[in-house]
Amino acid sequence: MSQTETVPCLPPGKNPALRVMPMPADANVHGDVFGGWIMAQVDIAGSIPAVERAQGRVATVAVNSFVFHHPVFVGDLVSFYADIVKTGRTSITVSVEVYAQRMRHSNEIVKVTEATLTYVATNDARQPRVLPKV
Ligand SMILES: CC(C)(COP(=O)(O)OP(=O)(O)OC[C@H]1O[C@@H](n2cnc3c(N)ncnc32)[C@H](O)[C@@H]1OP(=O)(O)O)[C@@H](O)C(=O)NCCC(=O)NCCS
């Protein structure tokens, strides 16, 4: 995406799986948040609907796609929206969209990142487990 995508508010009718404000330790000297910090939060946010669907533990088996559209800054309020897009025998694929509210600037909200991850339901031996019926 070449242009900044601003939206007047966060996606209507959806609750974020996670909301968090990055701190200076999460960023470089210019206040730009590390991609790895965002990836960790995305993994956590995506795991929330996956754990609910699996009714138990899951492991991340794949990061299928990950795009950083715009930077995140220290002090932004960052919201992670996570939706299951596919389930298989043992796997759950989740789409995560990330929005940053620019608290320090104009309160604009920008879609900064989107990703798709696959989780596998696992048993106590950390082996794949068939998903329970819905
Ligand atoms: C997750 C894990 C238990 C799966 O075990 P496995 O023997 O590889 O599992 P399988 O080959 O039977 O695949 C299980 C499911 O994952 C899916 N899968 C496996 N590799 C995949 C990939 N690269 N992308 C998408 N889905 C994948 C399979 O299609 C299958 O889905 P289905 O049952 O819905 O059809 C094992 O790979 C593992 O422990 N990985 C490490 C997990 C981890 O530490 N994650 C954190 C990394 S920092």
PDB file of all heavy atoms in Angstrom, residues 59-65 116-119:
ATOM      1  N   ALA A  59      -0.118 -24.487  19.075  1.00  0.00           N
ATOM      2  CA  ALA A  59       1.240 -24.047  18.733  1.00  0.00           C
ATOM      3  C   ALA A  59       1.179 -23.368  17.367  1.00  0.00           C
ATOM      4  O   ALA A  59       0.419 -23.798  16.489  1.00  0.00           O
ATOM      5  CB  ALA A  59       2.188 -25.246  18.679  1.00  0.00           C
ATOM      6  N   THR A  60       1.963 -22.326  17.197  1.00  0.00           N
ATOM      7  CA  THR A  60       2.049 -21.658  15.896  1.00  0.00           C
ATOM      8  C   THR A  60       2.887 -22.534  14.974  1.00  0.00           C
ATOM      9  O   THR A  60       4.039 -22.823  15.278  1.00  0.00           O
ATOM     10  CB  THR A  60       2.739 -20.293  16.044  1.00  0.00           C
ATOM     11  OG1 THR A  60       2.161 -19.593  17.132  1.00  0.00           O
ATOM     12  CG2 THR A  60       2.626 -19.476  14.754  1.00  0.00           C
ATOM     13  N   VAL A  61       2.296 -22.965  13.858  1.00  0.00           N
ATOM     14  CA  VAL A  61       3.059 -23.807  12.927  1.00  0.00           C
ATOM     15  C   VAL A  61       3.589 -22.993  11.754  1.00  0.00           C
ATOM     16  O   VAL A  61       4.634 -23.337  11.183  1.00  0.00           O
ATOM     17  CB  VAL A  61       2.232 -25.019  12.436  1.00  0.00           C
ATOM     18  CG1 VAL A  61       1.143 -24.619  11.447  1.00  0.00           C
ATOM     19  CG2 VAL A  61       3.137 -26.083  11.826  1.00  0.00           C
ATOM     20  N   ALA A  62       2.897 -21.908  11.398  1.00  0.00           N
ATOM     21  CA  ALA A  62       3.347 -21.141  10.229  1.00  0.00           C
ATOM     22  C   ALA A  62       2.882 -19.689  10.302  1.00  0.00           C
ATOM     23  O   ALA A  62       1.791 -19.399  10.791  1.00  0.00           O
ATOM     24  CB  ALA A  62       2.809 -21.775   8.944  1.00  0.00           C
ATOM     25  N   VAL A  63       3.749 -18.822   9.826  1.00  0.00           N
ATOM     26  CA  VAL A  63       3.366 -17.441   9.519  1.00  0.00           C
ATOM     27  C   VAL A  63       3.252 -17.392   8.000  1.00  0.00           C
ATOM     28  O   VAL A  63       4.253 -17.437   7.288  1.00  0.00           O
ATOM     29  CB  VAL A  63       4.408 -16.435  10.039  1.00  0.00           C
ATOM     30  CG1 VAL A  63       4.028 -15.012   9.643  1.00  0.00           C
ATOM     31  CG2 VAL A  63       4.559 -16.549  11.553  1.00  0.00           C
ATOM     32  N   ASN A  64       2.014 -17.366   7.518  1.00  0.00           N
ATOM     33  CA  ASN A  64       1.788 -17.497   6.073  1.00  0.00           C
ATOM     34  C   ASN A  64       2.067 -16.197   5.331  1.00  0.00           C
ATOM     35  O   ASN A  64       2.556 -16.211   4.202  1.00  0.00           O
ATOM     36  CB  ASN A  64       0.341 -17.932   5.819  1.00  0.00           C
ATOM     37  CG  ASN A  64      -0.006 -19.181   6.606  1.00  0.00           C
ATOM     38  OD1 ASN A  64       0.656 -20.205   6.473  1.00  0.00           O
ATOM     39  ND2 ASN A  64      -1.005 -19.099   7.464  1.00  0.00           N
ATOM     40  N   SER A  65       1.725 -15.090   5.954  1.00  0.00           N
ATOM     41  CA  SER A  65       2.008 -13.793   5.344  1.00  0.00           C
ATOM     42  C   SER A  65       2.107 -12.753   6.441  1.00  0.00           C
ATOM     43  O   SER A  65       1.506 -12.904   7.519  1.00  0.00           O
ATOM     44  CB  SER A  65       0.911 -13.405   4.348  1.00  0.00           C
ATOM     45  OG  SER A  65      -0.298 -13.172   5.021  1.00  0.00           O
ATOM     46  N   THR A 116      -1.310 -13.365   8.368  1.00  0.00           N
ATOM     47  CA  THR A 116      -2.085 -14.605   8.480  1.00  0.00           C
ATOM     48  C   THR A 116      -1.177 -15.674   9.074  1.00  0.00           C
ATOM     49  O   THR A 116      -0.045 -15.863   8.605  1.00  0.00           O
ATOM     50  CB  THR A 116      -2.594 -15.058   7.100  1.00  0.00           C
ATOM     51  OG1 THR A 116      -3.295 -13.987   6.495  1.00  0.00           O
ATOM     52  CG2 THR A 116      -3.537 -16.241   7.230  1.00  0.00           C
ATOM     53  N   LEU A 117      -1.677 -16.310  10.113  1.00  0.00           N
ATOM     54  CA  LEU A 117      -0.885 -17.328  10.821  1.00  0.00           C
ATOM     55  C   LEU A 117      -1.712 -18.607  10.964  1.00  0.00           C
ATOM     56  O   LEU A 117      -2.939 -18.545  11.037  1.00  0.00           O
ATOM     57  CB  LEU A 117      -0.498 -16.853  12.220  1.00  0.00           C
ATOM     58  CG  LEU A 117       0.296 -15.544  12.325  1.00  0.00           C
ATOM     59  CD1 LEU A 117      -0.645 -14.348  12.465  1.00  0.00           C
ATOM     60  CD2 LEU A 117       1.225 -15.601  13.531  1.00  0.00           C
ATOM     61  N   THR A 118      -1.012 -19.732  11.021  1.00  0.00           N
ATOM     62  CA  THR A 118      -1.691 -21.008  11.252  1.00  0.00           C
ATOM     63  C   THR A 118      -1.222 -21.610  12.575  1.00  0.00           C
ATOM     64  O   THR A 118      -0.015 -21.655  12.859  1.00  0.00           O
ATOM     65  CB  THR A 118      -1.427 -22.000  10.103  1.00  0.00           C
ATOM     66  OG1 THR A 118      -1.907 -21.423   8.890  1.00  0.00           O
ATOM     67  CG2 THR A 118      -2.140 -23.331  10.331  1.00  0.00           C
ATOM     68  N   TYR A 119      -2.198 -22.016  13.363  1.00  0.00           N
ATOM     69  CA  TYR A 119      -1.953 -22.653  14.657  1.00  0.00           C
ATOM     70  C   TYR A 119      -2.422 -24.101  14.574  1.00  0.00           C
ATOM     71  O   TYR A 119      -3.328 -24.428  13.802  1.00  0.00           O
ATOM     72  CB  TYR A 119      -2.737 -21.947  15.768  1.00  0.00           C
ATOM     73  CG  TYR A 119      -2.373 -20.488  15.902  1.00  0.00           C
ATOM     74  CD1 TYR A 119      -2.997 -19.528  15.095  1.00  0.00           C
ATOM     75  CD2 TYR A 119      -1.410 -20.062  16.794  1.00  0.00           C
ATOM     76  CE1 TYR A 119      -2.660 -18.195  15.188  1.00  0.00           C
ATOM     77  CE2 TYR A 119      -1.058 -18.720  16.894  1.00  0.00           C
ATOM     78  CZ  TYR A 119      -1.683 -17.794  16.086  1.00  0.00           C
ATOM     79  OH  TYR A 119      -1.342 -16.465  16.174  1.00  0.00           O
TER      80      TYR A 119
END
